[in-house]
Amino acid sequence: MGRQPCCDKLEVKKGPWTAEEDKKLISFILSNGPCCWRAVPKLAGLRRCGKSCRLRWTNYLRPDLKRGLLNEAEEQLVIDLHASLGNRWSKIAARLPGRTDNEIKNHWNTHIKKKLLNMGIDPVTHQPLRKETETSSATDYLADFVKHLPKVPETNGSDENSCSSDERCDSNLFKNDPLISSLLGDDPDIPQVDVPWEFPSGEQIFDSVSWDDNISSLLDFQGFDCFSDVEMNSSNVLELRHEQ
DNA sequence: AATTGACTCAACCGCTCGCTG
DNA sequence: ACAGCGAGCGGTTGAGTCAAT
């Protein structure tokens, strides 16, 4: 039996969201909360897939999102977390408040990857890239490479604690490299921000305020205070957001 | 001014996971 | 134990933008 499509592909709209669609989605979420994404498009009057609505909300419209590029500290945290978690972007994003997995993934692919490569660090393994000039020949390079390979345990190779005290598996191998050693170390200063985002109920924050007030609140929350002098209504606010 | 190539990032796709009956 | 379903995740795509020529 084939899997049912998540939505009627013939009826749903694709591509960039319009201000009107954003308005409908925000309005719906503000009054109902982010639940049952499959039903959201129908209830909100959107010709979109529920999946698309969830993505739009979590990656763009959510009021607790930070804007702009990741700062130095965030970038370092991403590198650090990637070293231990790999490409588990949602896990990484959970440690960076206000950042989405998509945003971090994009930033990794466009900025951090290059940065690490320029620093001579393999963005996948987080270990120093080897330059040809450092070894006298390809044979030497291979021999050296094999020498530093971690021992593969005979049983259950996936066990991350399976490394013995053998120096080939020792995290001290690259301890002379400041970045690597910092990546390998357990930095107590790294915040363990692993709390789920709590959606403020309409009663708590948006009670007895109009749609336009809600939009202003959202923008205030996200640091759009530069527009405080502008008369805000739902249409011009969303136009502004789309201009970003 | 026009063209081109590199870059960015919002959005989509397909898959997996976890819950429920 | 199994199937069905919704939600979430990670990889990929492509339109828009911008700098270089």
Side-chain angles (χ1 to χ4, degrees):
Chain A
M1 184 186 283
R3 196 183 156 81
Q4 238 186 18
C6 70
C7 45
D8 186 346
K9 304 248 178 198
L10 294 174
E11 292 296 324
V12 297
K13 187 185 167 213
K14 289 183 186 176
W17 281 63
T18 64
E20 190 60 31
E21 288 176 312
D22 280 346
K23 183 179 170 179
K24 282 182 180 176
L25 182 58
I26 294 173
S27 177
F28 178 82
I29 302 285
L30 288 180
S31 41
N32 300 285
C35 63
C36 195
W37 288 111
R38 197 179 167 92
V40 165
K42 201 171 183 178
L43 297 171
L46 290 160
R47 284 181 55 215
R48 290 276 181 177
C49 172
K51 213 173 181 179
S52 180
C53 293
R54 180 179 56 80
L55 221 61
R56 181 65 177 170
W57 174 257
T58 54
N59 288 337
Y60 195 82
L61 299 173
R62 242 170 57 186
D64 64 334
L65 289 180
K66 281 185 190 172
R67 298 280 161 187
L69 289 173
L70 276 72
N71 60 37
E72 284 281 324
E74 287 176 316
E75 210 170 282
Q76 186 55 50
L77 182 54
V78 170
I79 293 169
D80 206 354
L81 290 168
H82 186 272
S84 57
L85 297 170
N87 290 1
R88 279 177 276 185
W89 305 115
S90 60
K91 301 281 180 207
I92 295 172
R95 309 269 184 120
L96 283 98
R99 301 294 187 184
T100 69
D101 53 352
N102 209 33
E103 190 180 12
I104 292 170
K105 182 169 62 183
N106 282 334
H107 191 76
W108 177 270
N109 288 327
T110 57
H111 294 99
I112 302 178
K113 233 177 180 176
K114 284 179 204 162
K115 197 172 168 181
L116 290 178
L117 286 169
N118 284 338
M119 291 165 72
I121 294 168
D122 187 332
V124 178
T125 63
H126 292 261
Q127 293 184 358
L129 288 167
R130 302 194 66 91
K131 292 177 186 171
E132 285 182 11
T133 52
E134 285 177 5
T135 51
S136 54
S137 69
T139 314
D140 286 348
Y141 172 80
L142 277 174
D144 199 44
F145 176 72
V146 170
K147 189 178 146 192
H148 285 90
L149 277 178
K151 264 188 179 171
V152 179
E154 307 241 333
T155 57
N156 193 6
S158 64
D159 183 357
E160 64 182 26
N161 296 320
S162 62
C163 275
S164 69
S165 59
D166 189 290
E167 63 173 8
R168 284 174 291 184
C169 196
D170 193 346
S171 62
N172 287 334
L173 192 61
F174 303 105
K175 68 183 175 188
N176 291 334
D177 185 294
L179 178 62
I180 293 300
S181 63
S182 75
L183 291 178
L184 291 170
D186 289 324
D187 188 346
D189 291 328
I190 295 172
Q192 301 292 303
V193 189
D194 205 0
V195 291
W197 179 67
E198 290 178 20
F199 186 81
S201 74
E203 291 76 20
Q204 284 173 304
I205 290 183
F206 301 108
D207 191 30
S208 76
V209 290
S210 66
W211 158 257
D212 292 343
D213 289 336
N214 287 349
I215 286 293
S216 299
S217 303
L218 273 175
L219 295 180
D220 287 346
F221 197 73
Q222 296 189 5
F224 284 81
D225 52 1
C226 56
F227 301 123
S228 57
D229 293 332
V230 183
E231 186 187 338
M232 283 295 172
N233 59 46
S234 51
S235 54
N236 65 18
V237 162
L238 287 164
E239 276 169 20
L240 280 167
R241 173 163 283 180
H242 275 269
E243 281 168 11
Q244 299 231 347

